[in-house]
Amino acid sequence: MKLTTAYYQHTDVVALAPTFLGKVLVTVIDGELTSGVITEVEAYAGVNDKACHAHMKKVTARNIVMYEPGGCLYAYLCYGIHTLMNIVTNQANQADAVLIRGIEPVDGLAVMEQRRGKTSGRDFANGPGKLSQALGASPALTGMSLQSDVVWLEDRGIEPPTDFQKLKRVGIDYAGEDANLLWRFKVNTLFGERGHKAWCNKL
DNA sequence: TATAAGATTTACT
DNA sequence: GTAAATCTTATAT
């Protein structure tokens, strides 16, 4: 079942982010349903976070959607090549978001392999640009409600992992001391071929 | 209008 | 381990 709007509007994004681990991210693009279990996320905490696009209440055409109430998608292009998928959280005008950094494929594997131009296995969707490509996501999805039938998160009854690592966020060296915050959450044990089977057995 | 930099990935040495 | 690919966005003239 889809996660509710109230779930996304939790006011503490750093506490909320690790609860996305084990949830299933689903997209329906061009009539093809694809999905994957979330294995890695990062929290971005609005105006007080130097690494966040909304730091210092900055508002641009790109990041305006971060100020919406929690429960919609923020997808943008990075390095001109890669789409990065974020879940907007918290209340209106609280510009928090959770970056999805890794998934394990579940549904529509053949479609995802075609989009990626690779066969599945280790390193198939363990990066924000990779999983977005696999799921067919593009910046055009920005602002889409997670209650829509295009993109959403599902709870399929997987126990929230307790053995995740807390790590420094990556790729944000420009953020000064905020680059040292342990706001990246990664599941350790369920990666690669073995991990994929372990997830599917639970679903 | 022009320029610099980026929440990355991939290939190559 | 290092560097290239690649283009939108943001900021400065």
Side-chain angles (χ1 to χ4, degrees):
Chain A
M1 53 164 57
K2 290 176 188 175
L3 297 185
T4 64
T5 297
Y7 186 96
Y8 297 112
Q9 293 182 356
H10 192 286
T11 53
D12 184 349
V13 67
V14 179
L16 181 63
T19 74
F20 286 129
L21 298 172
K23 298 296 189 292
V24 179
L25 176 63
V26 189
T27 63
V28 179
I29 308 292
D30 295 330
E32 301 283 359
L33 187 147
T34 51
S35 73
V37 176
I38 296 172
T39 56
E40 185 176 349
V41 297
E42 279 180 11
Y44 284 85
V47 299
N48 296 319
D49 180 1
K50 288 197 185 75
C52 182
H53 289 163
H55 181 229
M56 299 293 288
K57 286 194 175 180
K58 187 165 69 172
V59 179
T60 65
R62 182 176 70 167
N63 74 7
I64 184 78
V65 68
M66 295 185 77
Y67 295 87
E68 294 291 314
C72 60
L73 191 74
Y74 173 38
Y76 74 97
L77 200 64
C78 187
Y79 295 99
I81 310 172
H82 306 290
T83 301
L84 274 63
M85 298 178 76
N86 297 256
I87 308 297
V88 176
T89 70
N90 212 329
Q91 309 292 309
N93 297 314
Q94 301 295 316
D96 295 355
V98 176
L99 170 67
I100 310 299
R101 291 193 58 88
I103 63 171
E104 280 295 330
V106 176
D107 300 306
L109 187 59
V111 176
M112 290 194 276
E113 288 181 335
Q114 190 175 12
R115 286 173 179 155
R116 290 276 292 123
K118 293 178 185 295
T119 54
S120 67
R122 197 172 176 79
D123 299 336
F124 180 69
N126 63 336
K130 296 180 189 179
L131 71 89
S132 297
Q133 184 182 25
L135 294 173
S138 73
L141 297 181
T142 287
M144 194 70 68
S145 167
L146 297 178
Q147 308 302 312
S148 73
D149 292 318
V150 177
V151 54
W152 66 91
L153 288 187
E154 282 182 17
D155 187 340
R156 296 198 185 177
I158 299 171
E159 285 286 313
T162 54
D163 59 338
F164 58 84
Q165 280 181 296
K166 297 181 182 178
L167 301 164
K168 290 182 185 179
R169 293 180 292 180
V170 292
I172 54 166
D173 293 339
Y174 58 85
E177 70 260 22
D178 283 353
N180 294 319
L181 292 168
L182 299 178
W183 285 359
R184 178 157 64 107
F185 307 98
K186 179 175 181 175
V187 178
N188 297 318
T189 54
L190 295 173
F191 269 106
E193 198 62 27
R194 275 179 55 217
H196 182 207
K197 285 175 183 155
W199 283 119
C200 288
N201 288 340
K202 288 190 177 187
L203 295 173

